[in-house]
């Protein structure tokens, strides 16, 4: 099959020139026990992938990245009885073992075994199923490696879905929807009538906005550096919008909200956005950070203010989701028109144009481009 391999992190832009991801013929072994082979129908280009390309988040090399997608089961390994060839699935970028202390507490999104496998560049089983034609093993990205025509993944890295759902839309649920909507509905536990702000309006941020609208928030404040994205946010339900580059943006938000916002969702993945999110949080409010900054980046705050203002800072990884529970729930909202995920698509591209796609993402001009590896 063909796959997009990252041999080196931190190559210069434009990636279409530096060839950050190299398209190459590779060998893919069939699925082992507890694994499935899927044909990758669609994979989203996400900022987390861009961070890996930029070198902000180190990965074992060489690696096939791509962690947000959907596909069709083509083969099942030994012991798989609940999936069969032809089934449609959404992939999950955290492999969960089901038995570590976090899994048994209902927090498979921070599975200990899954985290160790990600760091090692393997599937949960410890295997590496991708090889170059010279026999060199290729690392797996997030236990998925979806920037390829096919992928072998663990059974717990896939959720079966209704085949009537377009796979190009379904793919976005694998990361952007779970992370954004989950941060609002799971981590923050937003209730109808709440006031909520979203800082950063990429694919994850827009899904947080959708969830706030669907959940009945009374006021929804959208903050971003792009006027175009703020316009889309107003179109999709934001009641107030603010340009993050305005020098007095914090004062603007506080004046409009009588002192600050009760729940602020940060999805931009950088420290300036987090500082802004914390600054516009009201006394007694909470900041939920779902954006991943550069590894080693530090956020600081006045601790006395954290105590006296009774603010809370929460991390949200994969939207605190239990994939088997939340993907069907979010798909139901999508089918009822409550999560208009299809409107986020910024176009389709073949594997051969993936580097140009990441150039567009780095420029900030797109929300969610969808890769069709077999087109």
């Amino acid at each position: 099959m063909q796959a997009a391999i990252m041999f080196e992190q931190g190559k210069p832009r434009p990636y279409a020139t530096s060839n950050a991801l190299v398209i190459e013929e590779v060998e893919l072994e069939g699925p082992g026990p507890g694994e499935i082979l899927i044909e990758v129908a669609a994979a989203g280009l996400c900022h987390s992938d861009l961070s890996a390309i930029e070198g902000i988040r180190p990965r074992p090399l060489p690696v096939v990245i791509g962690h947000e997608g959907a596909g069709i089961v083509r083969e099942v390994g030994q012991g798989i009885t609940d999936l069969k060839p032809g089934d449609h699935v959404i992939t999950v970028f955290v492999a969960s073992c089901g038995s570590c202390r976090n899994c048994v507490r209902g927090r498979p999104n921070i599975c200990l075994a899954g985290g160790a496998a990600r760091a090692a560049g393997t599937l949960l089983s410890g295997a590496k199923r991708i090889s170059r034609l010279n026999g060199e093993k290729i690392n797996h990205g997030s236990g998925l490696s979806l920037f390829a025509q096919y992928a072998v993944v663990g059974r717990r890295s896939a959720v079966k879905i209704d085949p009537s759902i377009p796979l190009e839309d379904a793919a976005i649920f694998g990361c952007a929807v779970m992370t954004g909507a989950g941060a609002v509905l799971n981590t923050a536990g937003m209730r109808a009538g709440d006031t909520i702000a979203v800082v950063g309006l990429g694919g994850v941020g827009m899904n947080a906005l959708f969830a706030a609208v669907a959940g009945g928030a009374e006021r929804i404040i959208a903050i971003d550096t792009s006027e175009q994205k703020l316009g889309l946010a107003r179109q999709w339900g934001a009641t107030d919008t603010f340009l993050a580059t305005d020098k007095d943006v914090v004062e603007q938000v506080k004046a409009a909200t009588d002192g600050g916002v009760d729940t602020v969702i940060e999805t931009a993945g950088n420290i300036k956005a987090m500082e802004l999110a914390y600054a516009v949080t009201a006394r007694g409010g909470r900041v939920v950070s779902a954006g991943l900054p550069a590894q080693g980046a530090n956020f600081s705050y006045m601790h006395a203010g954290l105590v006296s203002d009774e603010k809370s800072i929460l991390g949200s990884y994969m939207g605190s989701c239990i994939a088997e529970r939340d993907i069907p729930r979010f798909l139901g909202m999508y089918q009822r028109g409550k999560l208009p995920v299809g409107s986020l698509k910024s176009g389709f591209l073949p594997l051969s144009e993936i580097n140009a796609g990441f150039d567009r993402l780095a420029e900030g001009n797109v929300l969610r481009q969808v890769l069709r590896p077999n087109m």
Side-chain angles (χ1 to χ4, degrees), residues 182-258:
V184 171
L185 301 176
N186 291 339
T187 316
M190 192 205 79
R191 295 171 296 183
D194 283 357
T195 296
I196 192 167
V198 179
V199 180
L201 298 174
V204 172
M206 287 301 190
N207 275 288
L209 173 73
F210 293 158
V213 173
E218 181 179 353
R219 288 186 73 183
I220 303 169
I221 293 94
I223 306 172
D224 197 85
T225 58
S226 165
E227 289 277 18
Q228 179 185 8
K229 290 179 180 178
L230 292 175
L232 289 172
R234 288 190 292 271
Q235 177 183 327
W236 291 331
T239 58
D240 307 80
T241 57
F242 297 91
L243 194 62
T245 52
D246 286 349
K247 292 183 179 180
D248 62 342
V249 63
V250 172
E251 290 73 22
Q252 290 178 37
V253 175
K254 285 186 171 182
T257 56
D258 193 24

Side-chain angles (χ1 to χ4, degrees), residues 2-6 21-24 63-65 147-148 351 354:
Q2 285 195 323
I5 307 172
M6 183 166 66
L21 301 178
V22 179
I23 310 303
E24 192 172 294
V63 63
V64 176
I65 56 173
F147 293 158
L351 202 55
I354 192 169

Side-chain angles (χ1 to χ4, degrees), residues 38-43 69-72 148-149 167-168 171 370-375:
I38 65 169
E39 180 181 351
V40 181
I72 303 169
Q149 292 177 303
L167 288 168
E168 293 86 355
V370 176
L371 179 74
R372 287 173 169 165
N374 291 291
M375 70 184 294

Side-chain angles (χ1 to χ4, degrees), residues 321-339:
C321 283
I322 300 173
E324 294 86 351
R325 175 195 68 191
D326 290 316
I327 285 180
R329 176 165 68 120
F330 295 154
L331 285 171
M333 295 169 67
Y334 158 83
Q335 289 174 310
R336 296 190 297 274
K338 300 295 185 182
L339 291 178

Side-chain angles (χ1 to χ4, degrees), residues 282-355:
R283 293 194 73 189
R286 58 197 162 181
V287 180
V288 173
S289 180
L292 280 172
Q295 197 156 340
N298 289 298
F299 165 67
S300 62
Y301 59 89
M302 296 298 292
H303 193 72
L306 179 80
V307 176
S308 62
D309 290 340
E310 277 206 353
K311 290 186 178 182
S312 301
I313 302 173
L314 299 170
S316 178
Y317 191 57
M318 203 176 85
S320 304
C321 283
I322 300 173
E324 294 86 351
R325 175 195 68 191
D326 290 316
I327 285 180
R329 176 165 68 120
F330 295 154
L331 285 171
M333 295 169 67
Y334 158 83
Q335 289 174 310
R336 296 190 297 274
K338 300 295 185 182
L339 291 178
V341 171
S343 59
L344 297 176
K345 295 197 298 290
S346 303
F348 301 102
L349 62 158
L351 202 55
S352 60
E353 295 178 14
I354 192 169
N355 286 305

Side-chain angles (χ1 to χ4, degrees), residues 92-119 124 156-157 317-318 320-321:
V92 181
F93 66 84
V94 176
S96 56
C97 68
S99 58
C100 73
R101 71 168 184 253
N102 289 338
C103 283
V104 299
R105 291 172 181 171
R107 304 182 73 185
N109 61 308
I110 51 173
C111 171
L112 299 175
R118 173 198 290 268
L124 195 60
R156 295 180 65 88
S157 294
Y317 191 57
M318 203 176 85
S320 304
C321 283

